Amino acid sequence: MAGYGWDEYDTRTGGRQTIHDAGNMLDLTTEFVKIPGGEHGGNWGVRVKGNLREDAPPDVKTTVIFYAGMEGFGSLEVTDDEEEIGYQGDVNLNGQTPDLGQFKIDITKGPNTNNHPQHPHPSYQEKPLDRTLVDSLQVPPETLWQTRPITFSSMKRTIDAYVEQYTQEDIPPPSQLYTIQQSPGAGNIHLVQKVFEGAFEFDVLYSSSSSPEAMSSEQLTKSIGSTTKSFSERYAQILKPKAPFDKSQFDVFSKSLFSNLLGGIGYFYGDAVVDRSYAPEYDEENEGFWEETAEARSRNEQKLEGPYGLFTSIPSRPFFPRGFLWDEGFHLLPIIDWDVDLTLEIIRSWFNLMDEDGWIAREQILGDEARVKVPQEFQIQYPHYANPPTLFFVLDTFLDKVDNRYKKGSSDQQLLRGDVYEAHISDANAAKAYLKSLYPLLKRHYNWYRRTQWGDIKSYDRNAFSTKEAYRWRGRTPRHILTSGLDDYPRPQPPHPGELHTDLISWIGMMTRVMKRIASTVGEPEDAKEYGTIENAIVRNIDDLHWDEKAQTFCDATIDEYEESVHVCHKGYISIFPFMTGMLPPNSPRMGAVLDLIGDPEEIWSDHGIRSLSKKDEFYGTDENYWRSPVWMNMNYLIVKELLNVARQSGPHQKQATDLYSRLRSNLVNTVYNSWEKTGFAWEQYNPETGEGQRTQHFTGWTSLVVKIMNMPSLAKGHDEL
């Protein structure tokens, strides 16, 4: 596979995606459009095209299977008269559900330029391949999602029949052999197969009975052109790459990554596996607590809960097709620039998952279909496990957009004025009403973090401005803190209930700052005042509890064998977390040391982005090497964003921050682009020495933040946009 994914896509109008199938010497393109109208969401259409690659012979054989399934209440059936050897013309499905009303799906024959395989084997006369084949099946509802085995089962029945009829010595050629049964009618899943020779094209047309007119191939052709035009115009207005990336190849690259991020949005529904035993071991209060928690988990007290529903984007369609709490905040940062109202809908969906205590599971593995992609030991969710609260970054951005709209007035960005993408910005009352409705959930969630992830100051006589503001991740083992998101990043050894984590206090600080803004916006001045007090205490305690004067960096803290609080310093992302989350004031005396660390090539600077761990650290590149050297785009986005903030303010660090910002921005974009150009994919992480993409391919979640990085201003001489 030479690459696959969306070339351009808007969730409201449609787009184009391409599969570059080098193995089968074919590029498969689907052009999808939505046509609003009526009472049930309108019509849609898909044009499926197969174009031969340059190295392909003209007689390449391709089989394409479209399937339609019916979950829940409703019906779906083939309405054409049954044709024993397949359909010469279009195939028509009629259906109805309580939500969609009545509808029809037409799978067209396609243009006369389509060619189909022919061969002398007698099986061709019984099932000619210039016909469309349909197999309608009634399968148990709980297995309806297993389309691949259902399809293979239909093909196996065909193969078995051919072997019995012709023997293995005289079986038909592959294009004939690997066909589904021809058995159209009623069912809850319908397989529709076409077999082509050379290039091909056909349409799938969905028409709602309540739409003003039925979907047609002519309307599809017209809408494909207008959808592409509107997407390009809107993209140029909102996310167009800026100098030095204002060139056509970066425009194509940027659109692809962003479109695949949008194309990963989906609705997930099903039950979840949760351990609500609230075992006392889960408080993690004793030395050696990780052994106690392992024993508690081994009791297997988890149960199925739900069902729950979640509207979300995902990190990777083929590899991580489910919701991740801390990933989602990063996903939504580019999306909110494009579609504010869609973003707010997703945020609400996440917070609607919250339980009465304020907990949201960090992984949303909903239903059997989602669970087949996850090892069993990782399926269970625990109500004392947290995850970085990145959705608050997005709420902060929403508040910025509301403020900016009313500072600038309504005349800016004529293309976007009053459209469906940003009704909550166009109307200040709508913005306030949304936040007001969400505020009780946000407050409950915030209080849950502070209550369950607290860190111990008093028991160890730690000197700090506040005796309350310290935090420790639960879910710790000697090798991992999976709940932190930074899995195998080096932490104090052995784990201790007196640990304090730099990243977590920084996250809570960012969360507090945003809660203060929201409380002010929704008319809760007493809450805003309290959040302001907490924020100040956190800023002070970050310095008092985590700054190591000797190492000149921020560090985790633990308790040594003498029951003294000590720092354990592993320079890397943890060391600059107060900076990345905006909790380091611009006039902080620590700013110079932080910038020096970021820019030091013997520590965390590389030509491909900021390393997760310093080259000088004893654990650099060791063991799993997941967060022990690779470059991660989500962390680098936070770094480059904060560098830009410092570069925009007069002060002693402006020049250094400007230089670091410009070079880091260039390194990040070129690293992701060069790997994408070479492999056809965005990747989960990047090698700090070579820039090669590694781990999960087609990782179009937070790696798509490079789209925002390209859209940031150039501060290089000649492009100064300050």
Side-chain angles (χ1 to χ4, degrees):
M1 194 69 71
Y4 57 89
W6 291 99
D7 305 312
E8 55 185 47
Y9 181 68
D10 183 346
T11 52
R12 296 183 185 272
T13 59
R16 181 183 68 251
Q17 62 179 339
T18 306
I19 300 172
H20 300 283
D21 190 349
N24 289 306
M25 296 177 284
L26 185 84
D27 288 336
L28 183 70
T29 300
T30 57
E31 295 170 301
F32 169 62
V33 300
K34 299 178 180 180
I35 309 294
E39 303 171 3
H40 301 95
N43 300 336
W44 56 260
V46 180
R47 176 153 295 157
V48 182
K49 290 188 196 176
N51 293 304
L52 303 188
R53 293 174 67 85
E54 290 182 359
D55 59 344
D59 61 346
V60 165
K61 314 292 193 298
T62 305
T63 187
V64 181
I65 296 177
F66 170 83
Y67 65 91
M70 174 59 64
E71 292 185 309
F73 296 108
S75 62
L76 186 65
E77 62 181 349
V78 179
T79 56
D80 309 274
D81 292 335
E82 182 175 342
E83 297 189 32
E84 187 175 344
I85 61 174
Y87 292 93
Q88 284 188 304
D90 298 350
V91 174
N92 307 111
L93 301 172
N94 276 7
Q96 62 83 25
T97 76
D99 293 327
L100 295 175
Q102 294 185 334
F103 61 88
K104 66 175 183 175
I105 302 174
D106 299 329
I107 300 94
T108 69
K109 179 181 179 180
N112 292 330
T113 53
N114 287 344
N115 291 313
H116 308 273
Q118 296 186 17
H119 57 82
H121 195 278
S123 59
Y124 186 87
Q125 301 304 318
E126 302 161 7
K127 189 193 281 186
L129 298 180
D130 60 353
R131 305 287 186 108
T132 301
L133 307 175
V134 181
D135 193 6
S136 301
L137 301 160
Q138 187 71 36
V139 303
E142 64 272 14
T143 67
L144 192 59
W145 58 273
Q146 297 176 318
T147 309
R148 185 167 61 177
I150 290 170
T151 302
F152 287 172
S153 177
S154 179
M155 286 185 173
K156 187 175 185 301
R157 291 195 297 274
T158 299
I159 294 168
D160 290 344
Y162 280 146
V163 170
E164 182 178 351
Q165 183 175 358
Y166 296 109
T167 75
Q168 290 191 354
E169 287 70 31
D170 190 29
I171 57 173
S175 58
Q176 185 79 43
L177 184 65
Y178 296 108
T179 54
I180 62 175
Q181 296 281 286
Q182 169 62 10
S183 181
N188 60 356
I189 187 167
H190 304 269
L191 310 175
V192 181
Q193 182 179 21
K194 293 175 177 287
V195 184
F196 299 102
E197 182 172 292
F200 59 86
E201 176 184 315
F202 67 94
D203 298 337
V204 180
L205 309 171
Y206 173 95
S207 301
S208 170
S209 62
S210 65
S211 291
E213 58 181 321
M215 190 69 180
S216 66
S217 290
E218 293 73 25
Q219 187 179 29
L220 177 58
T221 300
K222 180 180 178 182
S223 298
I224 287 170
S226 61
T227 297
T228 292
K229 183 174 183 291
S230 66
F231 177 84
S232 294
E233 290 175 349
R234 185 174 175 81
Y235 205 86
Q237 187 77 12
I238 298 171
L239 289 170
K240 185 176 178 63
K242 295 179 179 177
F245 307 111
D246 49 349
K247 300 176 177 64
S248 60
Q249 67 266 33
F250 291 106
D251 192 57
V252 171
F253 165 61
S254 179
K255 287 178 179 177
S256 173
L257 262 63
F258 179 70
S259 296
N260 280 287
L261 175 64
L262 278 182
I265 294 174
Y267 179 75
F268 300 85
Y269 183 84
D271 49 23
V273 183
V274 182
D275 178 352
R276 288 194 186 271
S277 63
Y278 298 104
E281 295 92 334
Y282 292 154
D283 292 336
E284 301 183 13
E285 293 181 347
N286 302 320
E287 294 187 31
F289 62 79
W290 63 93
E291 295 171 343
E292 297 175 350
T293 57
E295 195 279 328
R297 289 195 301 272
S298 72
R299 295 197 287 266
N300 293 319
E301 298 187 75
Q302 66 272 9
K303 296 179 181 178
L304 287 174
E305 291 187 358
Y308 304 110
L310 175 63
F311 184 48
T312 186
S313 55
I314 57 176
S316 171
R317 280 196 288 168
F319 297 101
F320 296 109
R322 57 188 183 276
F324 289 77
L325 181 56
W326 93 294
D327 294 57
E328 190 61 8
F330 291 113
H331 297 164
L332 294 179
L333 287 171
I335 293 174
I336 196 171
D337 289 341
W338 180 264
D339 195 326
V340 172
D341 289 9
L342 172 67
T343 301
L344 298 182
E345 203 172 324
I346 291 172
I347 290 174
R348 185 186 296 280
S349 183
W350 270 97
F351 281 104
N352 283 341
L353 292 170
M354 188 185 305
D355 70 7
E356 292 182 357
D357 291 331
W359 171 72
I360 300 173
R362 66 191 187 92
E363 280 194 51
Q364 295 296 324
I365 310 167
L366 304 180
D368 290 335
E369 184 174 3
R371 282 192 284 273
V372 298
K373 301 286 287 187
V374 185
Q376 190 168 3
E377 64 268 26
F378 297 119
Q379 294 178 10
I380 306 167
Q381 303 299 301
Y382 298 90
H384 61 291
Y385 282 7
N387 218 203
T390 57
L391 290 175
F392 285 79
F393 278 142
V394 190
L395 291 168
D396 202 34
T397 301
F398 174 55
L399 289 168
D400 288 343
K401 290 181 179 294
V402 173
D403 291 347
N404 289 338
R405 171 57 64 97
Y406 290 96
K407 285 177 183 175
K408 295 178 181 178
S410 58
S411 62
D412 63 321
Q413 296 194 359
Q414 294 293 324
L415 181 68
L416 311 181
R417 185 197 299 173
D419 65 19
V420 295
Y421 295 85
E422 53 175 37
H424 284 84
I425 291 181
S426 301
D427 183 350
N429 291 328
K432 186 174 180 179
Y434 173 85
L435 290 171
K436 201 158 190 174
S437 69
L438 204 62
Y439 185 68
L441 293 175
L442 299 176
K443 192 172 180 180
R444 189 196 310 170
H445 193 48
Y446 174 80
N447 290 335
W448 176 87
Y449 270 92
R450 296 188 71 225
R451 184 175 67 251
T452 63
Q453 310 299 303
W454 66 280
D456 193 344
I457 296 177
K458 296 179 181 179
S459 298
Y460 303 102
D461 295 325
R462 285 164 160 150
N463 294 318
F465 172 80
S466 167
T467 59
K468 294 181 179 178
E469 300 309 321
Y471 296 93
R472 172 171 66 95
W473 293 108
R474 302 314 194 262
R476 173 92 154 93
T477 69
R479 293 183 63 186
H480 299 108
I481 307 183
L482 298 178
T483 49
S484 74
L486 306 186
D487 298 13
D488 67 335
Y489 192 100
R491 302 284 187 162
Q493 294 295 343
H496 194 282
E499 276 179 35
L500 302 177
H501 296 132
T502 308
D503 50 334
L504 184 50
I505 192 173
S506 302
W507 285 123
I508 301 296
M510 179 276 293
M511 198 182 191
T512 305
R513 185 185 65 228
V514 177
M515 286 297 292
K516 181 180 68 175
R517 288 189 72 186
I518 295 172
S520 297
T521 302
V522 302
E524 296 287 349
E526 292 302 315
D527 284 0
K529 183 179 179 182
E530 181 182 357
Y531 293 133
T533 300
I534 296 171
E535 180 188 10
N536 178 61
I538 287 176
V539 170
R540 295 284 297 273
N541 273 20
I542 287 173
D543 211 59
D544 290 347
L545 295 171
H546 294 283
W547 178 258
D548 188 283
E549 190 64 29
K550 181 179 179 181
Q552 284 291 291
T553 195
F554 292 102
C555 308
D556 288 340
T558 191
I559 304 302
D560 66 13
E561 62 269 28
Y562 304 108
E563 291 296 298
E564 297 289 333
S565 181
V566 295
H567 289 137
V568 177
C569 302
H570 294 284
K571 290 183 179 179
Y573 290 159
I574 292 294
S575 313
I576 56 174
F577 241 94
F579 174 76
M580 289 194 291
T581 52
M583 299 310 297
L584 196 66
N587 60 351
S588 169
R590 316 304 182 200
M591 184 65 76
V594 168
L595 297 182
D596 287 345
L597 175 60
I598 290 172
D600 189 344
E602 296 304 312
E603 297 275 14
I604 62 176
W605 178 274
S606 86
D607 290 340
H608 305 289
I610 304 304
R611 310 168 194 270
S612 41
L613 189 64
S614 169
K615 285 173 64 177
K616 293 182 178 179
D617 194 275
E618 61 179 307
F619 295 108
Y620 182 78
T622 62
D623 205 3
E624 297 171 16
N625 193 24
Y626 199 43
W627 291 85
R628 294 188 175 191
S629 76
V631 172
W632 290 83
M633 212 48 53
N634 58 337
M635 298 289 98
N636 274 268
Y637 167 77
L638 296 180
I639 296 167
V640 78
K641 174 178 173 290
E642 289 304 317
L643 287 172
L644 178 60
N645 288 339
V646 178
R648 281 175 157 159
Q649 300 181 49
S650 297
H653 306 295
Q654 184 178 32
K655 183 177 180 181
Q656 183 182 12
T658 300
D659 173 64
L660 290 172
Y661 164 80
S662 298
R663 290 192 289 131
L664 179 58
R665 176 174 177 258
S666 178
N667 288 348
L668 294 171
V669 174
N670 286 322
T671 293
V672 181
Y673 173 77
N674 290 339
S675 181
W676 178 81
E677 180 72 10
K678 179 180 177 180
T679 67
F681 297 104
W683 293 81
E684 183 179 8
Q685 55 179 219
Y686 293 85
N687 188 295
E689 313 303 331
T690 67
E692 297 290 325
Q694 56 191 34
R695 297 278 181 168
T696 303
Q697 68 176 27
H698 205 56
F699 194 91
T700 50
W702 63 39
T703 299
S704 299
L705 284 164
V706 74
V707 168
K708 282 187 68 69
I709 295 172
M710 282 189 279
N711 186 243
M712 290 177 175
S714 170
L715 304 187
K717 191 174 181 180
H719 312 123
D720 194 337
E721 299 183 31
L722 281 175

